Amino acid sequence: MDDEVPLSGVGGDVGLRCRELLREMARSKEMMIYAGSINRDHVPLLIGIPPDLSVSKAVQYLKGKSSHRLLTEYTVLRKRYRGQHLWGCALQGSGLLGGE
């Protein structure tokens, strides 16, 4: 069973703020966002993670911090997602880029 709750209606100010938060948080942990978009019901990202940060910790950090900040800043999201998860998750590895 998938417990993901789509982030329907992400756009406008919320979408721009989400993009800004994800960029800010990625920089703070030395992650590189290679590609991404803010879509109506999902936010796909291709990110590079430093070797000292596990994939699970990187995802946990991005999801947790962005969710907390968005729910704090936007009352409409707090009401819509009360008791539910703002982000779901699907991961796919791409291997080492330029690695041996």
Side-chain angles (χ1 to χ4, degrees), residues 67-83:
S67 175
H68 177 72
R69 297 274 296 272
L70 289 171
L71 290 171
T72 299
E73 294 176 19
Y74 294 93
T75 307
V76 66
L77 292 178
R78 253 193 332 267
K79 289 178 182 176
R80 183 181 299 162
Y81 296 104
R82 182 179 308 259

Side-chain angles (χ1 to χ4, degrees), residues 45-47 49 55 59 89-95:
L45 296 173
L46 175 62
I47 60 174
I49 301 169
V55 172
V59 171
C89 187
L91 297 174
Q92 181 175 352
S94 64

Side-chain angles (χ1 to χ4, degrees), residues 7-76:
L7 191 58
S8 58
V10 171
D13 292 343
V14 177
L16 292 173
R17 181 64 176 140
C18 181
R19 179 186 315 260
E20 181 181 292
L21 284 171
L22 290 170
R23 286 178 176 168
E24 175 185 311
M25 288 182 286
R27 275 192 304 269
S28 75
K29 293 289 186 180
E30 299 179 5
M31 291 184 254
M32 174 68 97
I33 298 177
Y34 293 105
S37 62
I38 307 295
N39 296 320
R40 187 178 145 310
D41 63 351
H42 62 288
V43 181
L45 296 173
L46 175 62
I47 60 174
I49 301 169
D52 62 329
L53 187 62
S54 70
V55 172
S56 63
K57 289 292 182 189
V59 171
Q60 179 182 21
Y61 177 75
L62 290 173
K63 287 173 51 179
K65 294 288 186 188
S66 62
S67 175
H68 177 72
R69 297 274 296 272
L70 289 171
L71 290 171
T72 299
E73 294 176 19
Y74 294 93
T75 307
V76 66

